Every structure is written in structure tokens, then in C-alpha cells.
Amino acid sequence: MKLRFAKMHGLGNDFMIVDLVTQRGRPSAAQIRSWGDRRTGVGFDQLLLALPPSDPTADFQLSIFNADGSQAEQCGNGLRCFARFLVDEKLTVKRELAIDTAGGRVETTLLDNTHVTVNMGVPKRLDADGESLSVDLDGESVVITPVSIGNPHAVVFVDNVGQADVEGIGGALQQHERFPERVNVGFLQVVDRQFGRLRVYERGVGETPACGSGACAAMVAARLHDRFDERAKISLPGGKLRVEWQGPGAPATLSGPTELVYTGRIEL
């Protein structure tokens, strides 16, 4: 059996998207790892599976898998690509969608043929001890701000994002006892109150060119520490995203472009 799929990206954060609304089948973890291989497979940061909604008040359900086969709760750039995919594939004519994920319900708005805004829901703190905490990594103390955007994030403020030890600290935090399900680690350089530079180490993937939920987590962390205004532009290696968060109790929103790379068929 062959499944139709699309390869898309948002600022270089790339995805393989499969319609399982009109097609049947479900890849195993081994197949996901095979498809995710950048030398012998399609290659992607995450696999996105479009499913019929289990709740009649939602339009679609989205299952997200990392390239290593592990499941992820949320993905901001993936949701932006997913919303465009649903329209491109004529699975819906609606420009505004309610999509259920393992991290909760999100709402997407297709602004034009390429730009999508995602309401990521209300962020939450991951730790009850306060806005920041210090963790020990092999004798080195690293201060993080833990945030949930439907998935776990740890934000580290840095003076120069280009010199940040993304692989070292990001990889070490995957093994820390505070994050039994691992964690996405963002390294944020605040330039001014409306602009920052960010690099993200994603669990199950490593450093990626962009991370939508990571950009939202960075916004929340910066706002909690009074370093960003309510709206800011965040520059990642793959490009810029616009993020808005008014404060505790309010949802975080994310806006940016999407790109279709190609479509194809693959053996299940």
C-alpha cells in the first residue's frame, strides 16, 4: 500500500504530512524512523498525521511524531503547515480550524495562501517553585525558565545566541530528572523589548532551524521576566516569527510563512 504525503516546512522546520482522513494505514515507530532518515528516507523533524476528529466540536485531529519515532504533544510550525495542507489537499474549505492534538486544542487561521496564525492556547508553568530554577548539569549550574506550550520547554537566557552551547546543554537536559519525558530547550538572546534571537534543541530531533512552540515559550519566559512587550519578533536560524502573549491567563499566538516542498507517495 502506498500513501500520498506532502513535504512542507516553516522556516526550515520541516515536516512530512500524511492524510489519514481519506487514506487508511498507520506507520509503526520503525517506519517513522525510516521515513525520517535524511539520507535514505523523506527526512523531517516531525511526521504529522491528519486524522478525523474524535470530538465533534473539532475539525481535525493531529498526531505528531519526532524523527526518532517518539510522539510529541505539540508543534507550532507543524500546525501552521498542517492548516495549509488541509486546504491544499481540499480536506476542508474553512480558513479557520479547531485542531485537537495530544497537547490540547489549538486554533489556526490561514491568512493567505502561505501565512498562517496559530492560537497555541494558554501557556502554563512546568514548575511550582517559581519562574526560574537552577539545575545542575555535571557540576555546572544552568538557570532555566520552564514553560508548557502543550509540550515541555526550558528557556535559557544567553548574551550571545551564536555562542550558546545548544548541543551540550540541550542534550544534557534530556537526561535530567526534572524532565522525565525530556524537554525542548530554547536559548534566547533578548535584543530589545520587541526583538530576540533564538536557537532551539528539540527533544527527539536535536537543533532545528526553527521551532514555533519554542518561540512561544521564549516569549512567555521573556514576558515573565519583563524583558519583552506583548508583541515581539523572534529570529531563528530559519527565519522570523511573530509572537504575541498578553500575560498569564491569555493564549499565545504565532504567525509566519509556510512552504510546500513537494508531494509524493511512499510504501507503508
Side-chain angles (χ1 to χ4, degrees):
M1 174 193 297
K2 288 190 175 182
L3 293 176
R4 299 188 312 276
F5 72 92
K7 175 71 180 285
M8 299 183 71
H9 77 87
L11 306 183
N13 191 189
D14 61 341
F15 311 96
M16 177 181 178
I17 311 180
V18 180
D19 160 25
L20 294 184
V21 176
T22 65
Q23 302 181 111
R24 293 191 177 185
R26 191 77 180 234
S28 66
Q31 284 174 314
I32 293 171
R33 289 192 293 272
S34 176
W35 293 354
D37 190 291
R38 293 191 180 278
R39 291 183 179 273
T40 60
V42 175
F44 51 77
D45 292 324
Q46 278 86 29
L47 170 69
L48 310 180
L49 302 179
L51 301 164
S54 56
D55 185 330
T57 62
D59 294 296
F60 293 92
Q61 184 174 341
L62 169 62
S63 286
I64 307 167
F65 294 89
N66 296 315
D68 68 356
S70 61
Q71 190 161 11
E73 301 92 344
Q74 202 64 281
C75 181
N77 285 329
L79 279 156
R80 295 192 303 102
C81 290
F82 185 68
R84 176 181 167 185
F85 169 85
L86 295 171
V87 173
D88 286 354
E89 291 294 306
K90 296 180 172 54
L91 295 173
T92 183
V93 297
K94 298 172 67 174
R95 311 286 284 190
E96 297 183 358
L97 298 169
I99 299 170
D100 282 342
T101 71
R105 180 166 299 180
V106 298
E107 297 172 348
T108 63
T109 302
L110 184 61
L111 302 176
D112 54 33
N113 290 334
T114 61
H115 286 73
V116 180
T117 293
V118 182
N119 180 327
M120 298 290 289
V122 178
K124 299 177 181 178
R125 297 182 187 180
L126 276 178
D127 197 285
D129 294 340
E131 293 171 356
S132 295
L133 59 91
S134 179
V135 296
D136 180 77
L137 299 178
D138 296 326
E140 179 182 357
S141 179
V142 177
V143 177
I144 65 172
T145 300
V147 179
S148 173
I149 310 292
N151 57 349
H153 290 264
V155 180
V156 181
F157 291 99
V158 296
D159 294 328
N160 186 329
V161 73
Q163 298 176 0
D165 185 10
V166 174
E167 291 293 329
I169 295 175
L173 280 172
Q174 306 311 304
Q175 314 300 323
H176 199 276
E177 61 184 7
R178 282 188 176 271
F179 305 108
E181 297 181 357
R182 300 184 294 173
V183 65
N184 303 293
V185 187
F187 298 81
L188 176 64
Q189 174 187 348
V190 176
V191 177
D192 58 41
R193 295 193 64 85
Q194 296 180 338
F195 181 70
R197 295 188 174 93
L198 178 70
R199 292 169 66 188
V200 180
Y201 184 102
E202 289 195 49
R203 57 178 179 167
V205 180
E207 185 175 3
T208 56
C211 177
S213 62
C216 290
M219 161 61 90
V220 171
R223 291 277 290 147
L224 289 174
H225 292 279
D226 193 27
R227 302 186 68 177
F228 269 172
D229 291 336
E230 293 181 358
R231 297 179 182 85
K233 185 178 290 185
I234 295 181
S235 177
L236 299 108
K240 296 180 177 67
L241 291 167
R242 294 185 181 275
V243 188
E244 180 176 345
W245 188 56
Q246 296 179 359
T253 60
L254 170 74
S255 300
T258 62
E259 294 289 341
L260 173 65
V261 183
Y262 61 85
T263 60
R265 292 176 179 271
I266 195 164
E267 192 72 35
L268 178 63

